[in-house]
C-alpha cells in the first residue's frame, strides 16, 4: 500500500485545470490492474491531467488549449465477420486527435481492451509526440477489439481488410490524410494487408504505397523500422544519463557500461531496447513478461532469453535465472534504470513507493498514472516520459513515408558517390604518410551510408535534439521532464493553430 505521506503530498501537488477538460468522457477504471487504486484516473484522464499541468505553464491562450485538447473526430465501426459457422460483430475505432498538420499518424492495435477512451488517449499522445520530435504529422490512433490469438491467420486477414474498407469508405486513411502504423497486436503483415486493400480502392493513386507505414521491406517498408522504437529508447536514456545534472542527482557515472537495467515487456520495443543496451555494454538484470519475470544480478543473455521464450512460449524453466512469479514485481527490484515497455497503467499508487530505480524510462505509452508519477518525483526518481522516449517509432515511420512519396530507397543515389570521394581521400592520405591501409581498414573508412545507416543516423539526431530541448525547458522553468515535454509540444502545436487561424472560431 502506498505510503500515506507520499499520497497526501501527491494529492496536494497534482491539481488538474478542469476548465480544459473535454466533454463526454467519464473516468474509467481498468479492471484487473493490481498496480492502481480504484480511484486513480483512467488512461485518458491521466493524459488530460498531464496536459492540464503543462497547459498552465505554457502561456498558451485558453481558447487554443481548449481546441488543442479536444479530439477532432472519431470513427466507430461495427461489421459482421463469419467465423467458424457463426457471425461475430467486430468493433473498430479510429480517432483523429489533431489535424493541425496532415496527414495524421498513429498505430492500429488489436486487443480486447481497445475502446473509445484508450484510442482517444493514444491519439492525443501521438499529437504531442510528433510535435516533440518535429515530425510534421497530426495525432491519430486506431484499434479493433479482438484478441488476434483467438483467430486463424486467414480470419485476422479478413478482419483487417474489412476494417480497412471501413476506413477507406469514411476517408480515414490515405497518404495525405491518415497514415496508420503497427501497434500492440499488429505488425508488418497487417500493414501489408491494409496497404493492399487501400490500393484496390485507389488503383490509379501513384502514392498509394504511402497510406501506411511499418510495411515489409519488399512492399515499401524502410530498413530499421522494427528496431526504431527500442533504439530511440536507447538513444534517449543515453542522452539523459550524459547530462551532468542527471549524474549529480542519481549518482550515475554517465557510462552506459555501468548501468543495471530492468525492462518490463519483451515485445518489439523491449527486446530491441535490451539488445542495444546489451551491445553497448549495459547489464540487463531483469526482464518481465505477462506470465512471469526473470532476474539475474550478473546479467541476462538477451538472445538466449528471446530464443528460449520463442520456443517454449514462456520464461518458465529457464536455467540460471530467478523466476519472478508476479510480473509486476519485476518493477520493484533495485536497478539503475527501469524501462516499462508493456502497456499503460503499470505503475500506480499501489506500487509507486516500491520502485527502487534511479531513472524510469517510459518505453510504453502511459505506464505511469499521474499520482504515481508525483510519488516517483518526490522520491527523487527521474522520469523520462513516454511522449519523448518512445517517439523513435513515429520518427522512422516518417522516414518510411518520405521514402514512399519519393519512390526511392534512401542512399541509392549517394552511396557510391560517397565511397568514391572517400576512396580519393584515402589514396591522398596514403601517398602523404607513405603507409597503405589494410583492406579491412579501407572498407571501414570508405563505406558509404546505406538505408539503415541513414535511418539510424536520422533517428539519433532527432532523439538528441528532442532530449536537449526537453532538458532546456525543464531547467529554464524548473519543472520535471514530462511537464517540460508537454510544454514544448503544446507550444509547437499552438504555433500552428494560431499562425494559421482557427476557421469560424470567432
Amino acid at each position: 500500500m502506498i505510503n500515506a505521506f507520499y499520497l497526501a503530498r501527491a494529492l496536494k501537488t497534482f491539481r488538474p485545470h478542469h476548465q480544459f477538460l473535454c466533454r463526454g468522457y467519464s473516468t474509467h477504471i481498468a479492471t484487473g490492474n493490481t498496480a492502481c487504486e480504484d480511484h486513480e484516473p483512467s488512461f485518458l484522464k491521466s493524459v488530460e491531467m498531464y496536459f492540464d499541468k503543462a497547459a498552465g505553464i505554457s502561456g498558451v491562450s485558453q481558447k487554443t488549449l481548449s481546441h488543442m485538447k479536444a479530439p477532432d473526430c472519431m470513427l466507430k465501426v461495427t461489421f459482421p465477420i463469419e467465423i467458424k459457422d457463426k457471425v461475430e460483430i467486430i468493433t473498430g475505432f479510429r480517432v483523429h486527435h489533431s489535424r493541425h498538420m496532415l496527414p495524421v499518424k498513429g498505430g492500429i492495435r488489436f486487443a480486447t481492451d481497445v475502446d473509445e477512451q484508450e484510442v482517444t488517449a493514444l491519439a492525443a499522445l501521438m499529437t504531442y509526440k510528433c510535435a516533440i520530435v518535429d515530425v510534421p504529422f497530426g495525432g491519430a490512433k486506431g484499434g479493433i477489439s479482438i484478441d488476434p490469438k483467438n483467430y486463424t491467420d486467414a480470419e485476422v486477414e479478413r478482419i483487417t481488410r474489412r476494417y480497412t474498407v471501413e476506413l477507406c469508405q469514411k476517408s480515414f486513411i490515405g497518404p495525405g490524410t491518415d497514415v496508420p502504423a503497427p501497434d500492440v497486436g499488429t505488425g508488418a503483415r497487417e500493414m501489408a494487408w491494409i496497404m493492399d486493400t487501400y490500393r484496390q480502392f485507389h488503383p490509379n493513386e501513384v502514392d498509394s504505397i504511402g497510406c501506411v507505414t511499418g510495411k515489409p521491406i519488399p512492399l515499401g517498408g524502410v530498413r530499421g523500422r522494427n528496431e526504431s522504437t527500442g533504439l530511440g529508447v536507447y538513444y534517449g536514456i543515453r542522452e539523459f544519463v550524459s547530462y551532468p545534472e542527471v549524474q549529480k542527482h542519481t549518482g550515475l557515472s554517465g557510462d552506459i557500461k555501468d548501468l543495471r537495467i530492468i525492462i518490463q515487456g519483451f515485445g518489439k520495443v523491449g527486446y530491441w531496447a535490451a539488445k542495444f543496451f546489451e551491445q553497448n555494454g549495459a547489464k540487463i538484470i531483469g526482464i518481465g513478461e505477462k506470465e512471469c519475470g526473470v532476474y539475474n544480478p550478473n546479467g541476462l543473455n538477451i538472445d538466449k532469453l528471446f530464443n528460449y521464450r520463442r520456443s517454449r512460449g514462456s520464461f518458465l524453466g529457464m536455467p540460471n535465472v530467478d523466476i519472478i512469479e508476479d510480473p509486476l514485481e519485476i518493477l520493484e527490484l533495485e536497478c539503475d534504470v527501469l524501462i516499462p515497455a508493456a502497456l499503460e497503467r503499470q505503475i500506480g499508487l499501489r506500487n509507486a513507493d516500491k520502485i527502487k530505480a534511479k531513472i524510469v524510462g517510459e518505453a510504453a505509452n502511459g505506464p505511469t498514472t499521474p499520482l504515481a508519477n508525483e510519488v516517483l518525483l518526490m522520491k527523487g526518481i527521474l522520469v523520462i516520459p513516454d511522449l519523448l522516449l518512445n517517439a523513435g517509432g513515429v520518427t522512422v515511420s516518417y522516414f518510411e513515408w518520405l521514402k514512399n512519396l519519393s519512390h526511392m530507397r534512401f542512399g541509392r543515389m549517394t552511396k557510391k558517390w560517397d565511397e568514391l570521394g572517400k576512396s580519393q581521400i584515402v589514396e591522398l592520405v596514403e601517398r602523404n604518410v607513405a603507409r597503405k591501409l589494410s583492406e579491412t581498414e579501407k572498407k571501414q573508412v570508405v563505406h558509404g551510408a546505406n538505408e539503415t545507416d541513414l535511418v539510424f543516423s536520422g533517428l539519433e539526431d532527432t532523439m538528441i535534439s528532442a532530449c536537449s530541448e526537453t532538458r532546456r525547458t525543464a531547467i529554464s522553468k524548473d519543472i520535471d521532464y514530462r511537464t517540460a515535454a508537454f510544454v514544448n509540444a503544446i507550444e509547437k502545436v499552438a504555433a500552428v493553430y494560431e499562425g494559421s487561424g482557427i476557421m469560424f472560431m470567432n
Side-chain angles (χ1 to χ4, degrees), residues 471-482:
R471 175 199 188 194
R472 287 196 301 270
T473 300
I475 292 173
S476 66
K477 295 183 180 294
D478 192 23
I479 54 179
D480 62 276
Y481 293 127
R482 187 192 308 279

Side-chain angles (χ1 to χ4, degrees), residues 57 98 217 487:
I57 300 171
S98 177
I217 301 300
V487 167

Side-chain angles (χ1 to χ4, degrees), residues 277-505:
F277 276 109
E278 181 183 55
Q279 288 173 7
N280 287 277
K283 186 180 292 184
I284 313 299
I285 61 173
I287 296 284
E289 255 298 336
K290 57 186 177 182
E291 76 279 354
C292 67
V294 291
Y295 177 78
N296 186 332
N298 297 316
L300 300 165
N301 183 300
I302 298 305
D303 278 339
K304 285 184 179 179
L305 199 62
F306 177 81
N307 292 331
Y308 185 91
R309 189 169 192 273
R310 183 172 60 179
S311 63
R312 305 288 183 92
S314 170
F315 290 141
L316 295 174
M318 179 79 180
N320 303 317
V321 300
D322 295 329
I323 298 296
I324 310 298
E325 294 185 0
D326 182 352
L328 278 177
E329 285 186 15
I330 199 76
L331 299 169
E332 302 167 9
L333 301 179
E334 187 174 347
C335 61
D336 296 318
V337 180
L338 173 64
I339 303 176
L343 295 172
E344 60 266 15
R345 305 178 85 241
Q346 297 301 297
I347 301 177
L349 286 179
R350 291 183 180 177
N351 63 353
D353 65 333
K354 301 175 185 177
I355 303 298
K356 302 179 184 66
K358 298 172 182 176
I359 295 174
V360 172
E362 296 183 335
N365 288 310
T368 310
T369 66
L371 293 177
N373 183 72
E374 293 300 312
V375 171
L376 296 180
L377 297 180
M378 290 172 199
K379 292 182 64 178
I381 297 173
L382 296 183
V383 180
I384 308 175
D386 50 358
L387 67 166
L388 166 64
L389 195 59
N390 68 24
V394 72
T395 300
V396 176
S397 278
Y398 172 50
F399 299 159
E400 180 178 333
W401 181 73
L402 292 175
K403 173 186 177 180
N404 295 157
L405 296 189
S406 69
H407 301 272
M408 185 180 296
R409 168 176 49 84
F410 293 131
R412 181 170 183 175
M413 292 185 67
T414 58
K415 186 175 188 293
K416 287 302 178 183
W417 177 257
D418 288 343
E419 291 178 351
L420 176 62
K422 291 177 181 178
S423 295
Q424 293 172 340
I425 293 174
V426 168
E427 290 172 3
L428 179 63
V429 171
E430 286 178 332
R431 286 197 300 269
N432 280 274
V433 300
R435 175 184 178 268
K436 290 284 187 180
L437 296 179
S438 69
E439 285 301 313
T440 300
E441 291 173 327
K442 189 174 292 187
K443 285 181 180 179
Q444 290 175 342
V445 174
V446 171
H447 171 74
N450 57 31
E451 184 168 88
T452 304
D453 296 326
L454 293 169
V455 166
F456 284 2
S457 175
L459 174 58
E460 182 175 15
D461 181 65
T462 298
M463 293 303 298
I464 289 172
S465 297
C467 290
S468 178
E469 190 174 54
T470 302
R471 175 199 188 194
R472 287 196 301 270
T473 300
I475 292 173
S476 66
K477 295 183 180 294
D478 192 23
I479 54 179
D480 62 276
Y481 293 127
R482 187 192 308 279
T483 307
F486 266 98
V487 167
N488 289 340
I490 288 169
E491 291 177 348
K492 290 179 181 181
V493 176
V496 177
Y497 278 134
E498 294 171 356
S500 60
I502 303 173
M503 192 176 293
F504 306 125
M505 172 168 280

Side-chain angles (χ1 to χ4, degrees), residues 49-71:
M49 291 172 71
Y50 289 134
F51 176 93
D52 291 338
K53 183 179 180 181
I57 300 171
S58 67
V60 174
S61 69
Q62 181 174 339
K63 69 176 183 179
T64 301
L65 290 169
S66 298
H67 183 203
M68 187 188 308
K69 185 174 180 180

Side-chain angles (χ1 to χ4, degrees), residues 27-289:
T27 300
H28 170 73
I29 303 300
T31 58
N33 189 329
T34 58
C36 298
E37 298 287 358
D38 291 344
H39 66 271
E40 288 193 79
S42 67
F43 181 23
L44 174 59
K45 189 69 68 175
S46 295
V47 174
E48 292 175 343
M49 291 172 71
Y50 289 134
F51 176 93
D52 291 338
K53 183 179 180 181
I57 300 171
S58 67
V60 174
S61 69
Q62 181 174 339
K63 69 176 183 179
T64 301
L65 290 169
S66 298
H67 183 203
M68 187 188 308
K69 185 174 180 180
D72 283 352
C73 59
M74 173 181 293
L75 175 68
K76 178 181 179 181
V77 298
T78 57
F79 50 85
I81 290 288
E82 188 173 339
I83 304 291
K84 299 180 179 65
D85 299 325
K86 66 177 182 178
V87 174
E88 288 190 22
I89 302 300
I90 306 296
T91 302
F93 303 89
R94 188 71 179 170
V95 172
H96 290 182
H97 174 261
S98 177
R99 292 185 290 193
H100 69 290
M101 285 189 165
L102 289 175
V104 294
K105 192 82 182 75
I108 292 175
R109 62 173 52 184
F110 290 177
T112 54
D113 56 357
V114 166
D115 60 19
E116 178 180 319
Q117 291 198 27
E118 181 187 55
V119 175
T120 301
L122 291 166
L125 281 177
M126 282 301 301
T127 294
Y128 312 132
K129 192 179 303 184
C130 290
I132 286 170
V133 292
D134 293 321
V135 168
F137 291 145
K141 208 74 176 186
I144 302 177
S145 301
I146 62 168
D147 181 350
K149 294 180 181 178
N150 294 335
Y151 301 86
T152 66
D153 289 349
E155 290 165 349
V156 173
E157 180 178 357
R158 286 165 52 205
I159 292 170
T160 303
R161 289 184 180 275
R162 179 57 194 274
Y163 172 71
T164 308
V165 169
E166 298 290 337
L167 298 182
C168 290
Q169 290 176 339
K170 277 79 173 180
S171 298
F172 268 71
I173 187 173
T177 307
D178 183 348
V179 182
D183 202 277
V184 175
T186 61
R189 180 186 69 170
E190 286 76 16
M191 299 306 107
W193 293 335
I194 290 173
M195 181 197 68
D196 182 67
T197 306
Y198 177 84
R199 296 181 78 177
Q200 306 308 312
F201 279 77
H202 303 84
N204 299 319
E205 186 174 323
V206 68
D207 293 328
S208 59
I209 195 173
C211 71
V212 68
T213 60
K215 303 180 293 293
I217 301 300
L219 296 178
V222 71
R223 290 163 181 82
R225 177 62 180 85
N226 285 339
E227 306 97 311
S228 59
T229 306
L231 180 56
V233 170
Y234 166 74
Y235 286 145
I237 292 174
R238 183 197 68 184
E239 287 305 298
F240 275 93
V241 298
S242 74
Y243 299 153
E245 66 274 14
V246 171
Q247 294 172 18
K248 181 179 179 181
H249 183 86
T250 61
L252 298 175
S253 69
D255 190 339
I256 292 294
K257 293 183 176 63
D258 294 333
L259 294 182
R260 298 170 304 129
I261 296 173
I262 290 177
I263 301 176
Q264 183 207 31
F266 205 46
K268 286 179 289 188
V269 178
Y271 168 76
W272 282 111
K275 280 293 294 180
F276 286 114
F277 276 109
E278 181 183 55
Q279 288 173 7
N280 287 277
K283 186 180 292 184
I284 313 299
I285 61 173
I287 296 284
E289 255 298 336

